[in-house]
């Protein structure tokens, strides 16, 4: 038997909603707009819901009656349930008893421009303070490690070293070789016009040593390892494993953040050296094929024009990049919400924050070294 609805109004200001038939999801949902509109009339003082002819029902019936009941309650209209199943009444009461989730927007209140700016400013400030506090906690953990008092598993450190180092060689090789080839190709197109093709070696060596090798390696590790750190720690947050560590008296920063940070700080300079080599080889391949330079001439020109200080600057950047990536990934994971959606957002935020920090710090170092003439 299909569902049916009959809405009638008495002269006494009583609105009757008579429900009949089977209210099942297979029969589709009913729009409660008509009932809400009738309840909103100024002359309605009583709502009667009659369910004596109801058959089978499921959440379809609850979804229909809930907004009508809420509209009646908001206008302080009395509600009388006649032969309505007790389960329906309880489900409606339960749905109305659940408070709004934190952060849920109130559709009736739309903040103006200045309020939105203020709220956003306070949010950014609180996040900055939280991140600065996390950095301080990590520095304390590093101090514990230097004094030999940090509580962590060496097996975890070795696993992270393997994941950050050998497991990353494939993608670092591919990107570095391609970057070196692109730099050499762009340089060859321009320098050939002036008969200065030999300086392609200088261009590739300088660009890879100071900028491209550490930056591209950092971006790769931010997208690969930083995201993995955020996902791992976010999942531990969901499963309450971090709370368990705190309960046992183990500092999460020592046990979870420290080995990940050490692994990246150790492996980033090594990966940068490897990226330099691959990029230089990629640039040399283009130079040999397009410009008819010999490998010997290519490397001699690079050695003469690119001093070791440029490689040292790149290695310095790589160490800082490793710290920034670890901090971004671990911070987002440790402060993740306790749901699958929150873990996904934390992972995305870790990658974005890591890349932004890398580019900002790289720009600062480039400006400082340029001013100092290094």
């Amino acid at each position: 038997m299909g569902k049916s609805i009959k809405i009638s109004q008495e002269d006494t200001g009583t609105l009757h909603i008579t429900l009949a038939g089977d209210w099942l999801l297979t029969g589709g949902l009913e729009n409660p707009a008509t009932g809400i509109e009738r309840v909103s009339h100024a002359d309605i003082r009583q709502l009667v819901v009659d369910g004596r002819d109801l058959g089978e029902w499921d959440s379809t019936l609850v979804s229909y009656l809930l907004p009508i009941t809420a509209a009646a309650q908001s206008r302080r209209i009395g509600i009388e349930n006649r032969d309505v199943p007790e389960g329906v009444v309880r489900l409606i009461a339960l749905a109305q008893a659940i408070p709004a989730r934190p952060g849920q927007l109130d559709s009736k209140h739309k903040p103006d421009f200045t309020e939105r700016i203020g709220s956003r400013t306070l949010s950014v400030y609180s996040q900055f303070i939280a991140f600065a506090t996390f950095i301080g906690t990590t520095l304390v953990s590093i101090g514990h490690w230097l004094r030999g008092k940090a509580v962590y598993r060496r097996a975890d450190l070795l696993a992270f070293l393997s994941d950050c180092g050998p497991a990353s060689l494939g993608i670092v090789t591919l990107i570095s070789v391609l970057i070196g080839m692109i730099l050499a190709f762009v340089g060859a197109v321009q320098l050939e016009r002036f008969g200065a093709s030999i300086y392609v070696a200088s261009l590739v060596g300088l660009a890879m040593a100071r900028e491209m090798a550490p930056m591209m390696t950092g971006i790769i590790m931010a997208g690969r390892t930083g995201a993995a750190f955020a996902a791992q720690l976010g999942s531990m947050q969901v499963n309450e494993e971090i709370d368990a560590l705190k309960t046992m008296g183990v500092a999460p920063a020592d046990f979870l953040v420290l080995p990940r940070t050490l692994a990246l700080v150790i492996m980033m300079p090594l990966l940068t050296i490897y990226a330099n080599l691959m990029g230089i080889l990629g640039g040399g391949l283009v130079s040999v094929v397009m410009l008819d330079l010999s490998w010997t001439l290519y490397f001699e020109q690079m050695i003469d024009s690119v001093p070791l200080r440029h490689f040292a600057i790149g290695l310095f950047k790589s160490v800082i990049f490793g710290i920034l990536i670890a901090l971004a990934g671990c911070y987002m994971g440790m402060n993740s919400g306790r749901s699958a959606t929150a873990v996904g957002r934390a992972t995305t935020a870790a990658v974005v924050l890591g890349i932004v920090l890398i580019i900002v710090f790289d720009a600062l170092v480039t400006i400082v070294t340029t001013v100092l003439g290094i």
Side-chain angles (χ1 to χ4, degrees), residues 95-237:
Q96 294 175 335
I98 298 176
R101 289 176 295 178
Q104 187 175 6
L105 294 179
D106 184 0
S107 58
K108 297 181 180 179
H109 175 66
K110 295 182 179 180
D112 57 19
F113 177 75
T114 55
E115 186 175 351
R116 291 197 301 269
I117 293 295
S119 298
R120 184 59 180 169
T121 302
L122 291 175
S123 176
V124 171
Y125 175 75
S126 63
Q127 292 176 7
F128 173 78
I129 295 299
F131 188 60
T133 303
F134 182 79
I135 293 175
T137 304
T138 304
L139 292 177
V140 172
S141 297
I142 294 175
H144 293 168
W145 175 70
L146 293 175
R147 291 182 295 169
K149 296 182 179 181
V151 179
Y152 69 99
R153 294 188 301 183
R154 289 176 174 80
D156 290 342
L157 176 59
L158 294 177
F160 293 135
L161 285 171
S162 176
D163 182 67
C164 296
S168 305
L169 289 179
I171 185 65
V172 172
T173 301
L174 175 63
I175 298 300
S176 300
V177 170
L178 292 178
I179 290 295
M181 294 177 68
I182 292 170
L183 290 172
F185 179 78
V186 173
V189 171
Q190 300 298 322
L191 293 174
E192 264 191 321
R193 300 179 179 180
F194 306 99
S197 301
I198 187 63
Y199 292 106
V200 169
S202 304
L203 171 65
V204 174
L206 184 62
M208 290 300 300
R210 291 188 66 121
E211 297 293 338
M212 300 309 297
M215 179 181 289
M216 295 308 301
T217 304
I219 291 175
I220 291 170
M221 298 306 290
R224 183 184 183 279
T225 306
F229 288 173
Q232 292 165 4
L233 296 179
S235 299
M236 296 180 70
Q237 186 76 279

Side-chain angles (χ1 to χ4, degrees), residues 26-355:
T26 53
L29 298 174
E30 292 294 334
N31 189 350
T34 302
I36 296 174
E37 181 181 357
R38 297 290 295 273
V39 167
S40 301
H41 287 178
D43 55 346
I44 298 298
R45 295 187 297 274
Q46 181 76 12
L47 173 64
V48 177
V49 181
D50 192 341
R52 69 183 68 181
D53 295 326
L54 274 175
E56 297 183 11
W57 61 274
D58 58 15
S59 58
T60 305
L61 179 58
V62 179
S63 66
Y64 175 77
L65 291 177
L66 180 59
I68 298 176
T69 303
Q73 291 175 343
S74 66
R75 298 190 66 247
R76 301 184 182 277
I77 295 174
I79 301 174
E80 179 183 350
N81 294 308
R82 295 178 182 175
D83 296 323
V84 177
E86 184 66 24
V88 175
V89 177
R90 290 182 178 179
L91 287 174
I92 292 176
L94 179 62
Q96 294 175 335
I98 298 176
R101 289 176 295 178
Q104 187 175 6
L105 294 179
D106 184 0
S107 58
K108 297 181 180 179
H109 175 66
K110 295 182 179 180
D112 57 19
F113 177 75
T114 55
E115 186 175 351
R116 291 197 301 269
I117 293 295
S119 298
R120 184 59 180 169
T121 302
L122 291 175
S123 176
V124 171
Y125 175 75
S126 63
Q127 292 176 7
F128 173 78
I129 295 299
F131 188 60
T133 303
F134 182 79
I135 293 175
T137 304
T138 304
L139 292 177
V140 172
S141 297
I142 294 175
H144 293 168
W145 175 70
L146 293 175
R147 291 182 295 169
K149 296 182 179 181
V151 179
Y152 69 99
R153 294 188 301 183
R154 289 176 174 80
D156 290 342
L157 176 59
L158 294 177
F160 293 135
L161 285 171
S162 176
D163 182 67
C164 296
S168 305
L169 289 179
I171 185 65
V172 172
T173 301
L174 175 63
I175 298 300
S176 300
V177 170
L178 292 178
I179 290 295
M181 294 177 68
I182 292 170
L183 290 172
F185 179 78
V186 173
V189 171
Q190 300 298 322
L191 293 174
E192 264 191 321
R193 300 179 179 180
F194 306 99
S197 301
I198 187 63
Y199 292 106
V200 169
S202 304
L203 171 65
V204 174
L206 184 62
M208 290 300 300
R210 291 188 66 121
E211 297 293 338
M212 300 309 297
M215 179 181 289
M216 295 308 301
T217 304
I219 291 175
I220 291 170
M221 298 306 290
R224 183 184 183 279
T225 306
F229 288 173
Q232 292 165 4
L233 296 179
S235 299
M236 296 180 70
Q237 186 76 279
V238 172
N239 296 327
E240 300 183 353
E241 297 176 44
I242 296 178
D243 295 335
L245 289 174
K246 295 178 181 177
T247 302
M248 292 187 295
V250 178
D254 287 2
F255 195 81
L256 301 175
V257 178
L258 179 62
R260 289 171 168 82
T261 304
L262 291 177
L264 270 176
V265 170
I266 293 172
M267 297 310 303
M268 275 294 295
L270 300 179
L271 288 174
T272 300
I273 294 173
Y274 180 75
N276 275 317
L277 176 60
M278 292 296 103
I280 291 171
L281 290 178
L285 181 63
V286 173
S287 299
V288 170
V289 173
M290 288 186 59
L291 306 176
D292 295 328
L293 296 178
S294 66
W295 285 102
T296 302
L297 187 60
Y298 176 81
F299 282 112
E300 286 181 351
Q301 174 63 27
M302 182 174 297
I303 293 172
D304 292 340
S305 58
V306 185
L308 287 178
R309 72 172 185 275
H310 299 300
F311 291 92
I313 292 173
L315 291 179
F316 170 74
K317 289 182 179 180
S318 68
V319 174
I320 304 301
F321 290 168
I323 297 175
L324 295 176
I325 294 167
L327 289 175
C330 294
Y331 171 75
M332 290 300 175
M334 296 281 285
N335 292 275
S336 169
R338 299 180 184 270
S339 66
T341 303
V343 174
R345 287 198 297 265
T347 303
T348 303
V351 177
V352 174
L353 178 61
I355 293 176

Side-chain angles (χ1 to χ4, degrees), residues 2-15:
K3 67 172 74 72
S4 66
I5 309 168
K6 181 181 179 182
I7 302 177
S8 60
Q9 181 177 344
E10 296 180 356
D11 295 337
T12 58
T14 301
L15 182 69

